[in-house]
Amino acid sequence: MPGQRSITQAEKLAEAKLGGIPVRHEQMAVVANIYRAASAVRQHLENSVLRGADLTWTAFVVLWVVWVWGESETRHVAEEAGISKGTLTGVSRTLEKRGLIKRAGHPTDGRLVLLSLTEEGEELMRRVFPAFNEEEAFVTARLDDEDCRTVADGLRRVVLQVEEHGEERRLTLLDGAPPAPRRSGRRAQG
Amino acid sequence: MPGQRSITQAEKLAEAKLGGIPVRHEQMAVVANIYRAASAVRQHLENSVLRGADLTWTAFVVLWVVWVWGESETRHVAEEAGISKGTLTGVSRTLEKRGLIKRAGHPTDGRLVLLSLTEEGEELMRRVFPAFNEEEAFVTARLDDEDCRTVADGLRRVVLQVEEHGEERRLTLLDGAPPAPRRSGRRAQG
DNA sequence: TCCGTACAATTTGGGTGCGAACGACATCTG
DNA sequence: CAGATGTCGTTCGCACCCAAATTGTACGGA
């Protein structure tokens, strides 16, 4: 199996490259495998259930959030779906065009936009989610329920660590230095 | 902490939505948290060490692969980096423009292209990787070495399950039906 | 009423991200 | 050595994706 072997091998090669500087192997393996697993799972779900419903991963996540939470403000949906508000604007417009989502202004605060599923959207989710959950079970088939709880808990700790101390950590690292603007993306005006 | 609570709550809401159809909670939690963790880790690393070096996540992964494995054929790099060949073409061209990567034809097989780091690229990685690994340790700070091994092993099983049985599973699910082309992407010619 | 601050979604710009289509090349087959 | 077949990297079209800039709304005080 190339997956595991290549990771181990890559770690050794990396250490050789660094010539004596110690590498935190276990931590590196966690991060590397989080990303590998995320890609593999996403790929599988897109190819098995989502493509048949003509949904991308992101579109499904957005639908799922709105479905489960009911009518919600866009900023909360973006937060929960793990995408930026700017991205959500585009995605929700696409879903609106397909008749799966409704967009409505907030009754009292004109700045807010509320998202909710149309009846067609509800129907789609009632049909697609069980299949989606079935594939979630497939990809985790080599873990029993106890293993799943352990892994999920470990991942939750990673998320919490970043959520609670990430900002502070970044400030410490940069140590007052300017936040280094992204090279890509919109440029500052003159 | 909103993270964990909202997931649990979302699961209950989802079950209520489904009205009696059982949901595989543990498996759902694993998939949801894999994706959350992947986003959180990527975000943190981009904002802490990569932006300072003017690298995106993907660009760094590509550089890392080439750095560790040495001069490599593009298809292997794409495979190892977890991106498609088409994406790699764009990323490697960007890196070439910045003088971090060299592209060379294969001596005997004219179809192949070999990627390798320039001296500037090597220098960058010697500087950036230790900082990167330091942040990998930061995001996993709430896990001890043993926990890390457990989580990494669990994730490896997910990856292996998909790699070894994903294709077969998809065929079973679609059961001979046409593979349902992606809605986005290049259209077939007349 | 006018102003300024605050905060909301949206637009914009650069860079991925995928899979289908494509053209160049290698290799098999006769 | 010509054609068929397969494999490579590249091109293409569309959808994301983020963060900065922008636009629009709310609401406080002067």
Side-chain angles (χ1 to χ4, degrees), chain A residues 56 58 83-84 87 109-111 187-189:
Chain A
T56 63
T58 307
I83 60 178
S84 71
T87 299
D109 192 332
R111 296 170 303 176
R187 297 285 178 284
Q189 292 290 70

Side-chain angles (χ1 to χ4, degrees), chain B residues 30-42:
Chain B
V30 169
V31 170
N33 282 302
I34 284 175
Y35 219 74
R36 277 177 170 249
S39 304
V41 167
R42 177 172 173 160

Side-chain angles (χ1 to χ4, degrees), chain A residues 78-134:
Chain A
E79 164 90 23
E80 195 68 22
I83 60 178
S84 71
K85 293 182 298 168
T87 299
L88 181 58
T89 297
V91 174
S92 63
R93 234 199 314 258
T94 301
L95 291 172
E96 190 185 24
K97 263 184 255 170
R98 286 190 49 197
L100 300 174
I101 257 188
K102 275 181 304 220
R103 298 161 59 82
H106 192 279
T108 66
D109 192 332
R111 296 170 303 176
L112 302 181
V113 171
L114 298 173
L115 299 183
S116 59
L117 293 197
T118 61
E119 183 45 43
E120 193 184 340
E122 291 269 348
E123 229 168 87
L124 181 74
M125 288 307 283
R126 277 195 297 269
R127 185 164 50 80
V128 171
F129 178 74
F132 189 91
N133 187 237
E134 197 70 33

Side-chain angles (χ1 to χ4, degrees), chain B residues 48-86:
Chain B
S48 57
V49 320
L50 297 183
R51 271 174 74 168
D54 191 19
L55 292 173
T56 62
W57 174 272
T58 307
F60 175 79
V61 171
V62 168
L63 283 178
W64 188 81
V65 169
V66 178
W67 182 55
V68 166
W69 289 91
E71 185 171 62
S72 311
E73 301 169 15
T74 54
R75 64 198 153 131
H76 296 323
V77 175
E79 164 90 23
E80 195 67 23
I83 59 177
S84 71
K85 294 183 298 167

Side-chain angles (χ1 to χ4, degrees), chain B residues 17-181:
Chain B
K17 271 282 173 189
L18 286 166
I21 298 179
V23 176
R24 307 285 298 268
H25 291 104
E26 284 80 8
Q27 290 75 13
M28 178 170 146
V30 169
V31 170
N33 282 302
I34 284 175
Y35 219 74
R36 277 177 170 249
S39 304
V41 167
R42 177 172 173 160
Q43 200 88 353
H44 177 75
L45 282 161
E46 282 185 339
N47 288 337
S48 57
V49 320
L50 297 183
R51 271 174 74 168
D54 191 19
L55 292 173
T56 62
W57 174 272
T58 307
F60 175 79
V61 171
V62 168
L63 283 178
W64 188 81
V65 169
V66 178
W67 182 55
V68 166
W69 289 91
E71 185 171 62
S72 311
E73 301 169 15
T74 54
R75 64 198 153 131
H76 296 323
V77 175
E79 164 90 23
E80 195 67 23
I83 59 177
S84 71
K85 294 183 298 167
T87 300
L88 180 58
T89 298
V91 173
S92 63
R93 229 194 322 253
T94 300
L95 291 172
E96 189 184 26
K97 264 185 256 171
R98 287 190 47 196
L100 299 173
I101 257 189
K102 273 181 307 220
R103 298 161 59 80
H106 191 279
T108 66
D109 191 333
R111 297 170 302 175
L112 303 182
V113 171
L114 299 172
L115 299 183
S116 58
L117 294 197
T118 61
E119 182 46 42
E120 193 184 340
E122 291 268 348
E123 228 168 87
L124 181 74
M125 288 306 284
R126 277 195 296 269
R127 185 164 50 79
V128 171
F129 178 75
F132 189 92
N133 188 238
E134 197 71 32
E135 295 314 301
E136 290 180 319
F138 166 75
V139 301
T140 54
R142 297 191 189 190
L143 305 172
D144 61 27
D145 283 10
E146 181 60 25
D147 294 335
C148 283
R149 277 188 288 271
T150 304
V151 171
D153 179 63
L155 294 172
R156 241 176 244 124
R157 289 194 213 179
V158 171
V159 174
L160 288 175
Q161 169 72 359
V162 176
E163 281 183 355
E164 292 178 8
H165 298 300
E167 188 65 30
E168 163 197 346
R169 169 80 177 181
R170 266 165 276 167
L171 293 177
T172 305
L173 281 175
L174 298 172
D175 199 35

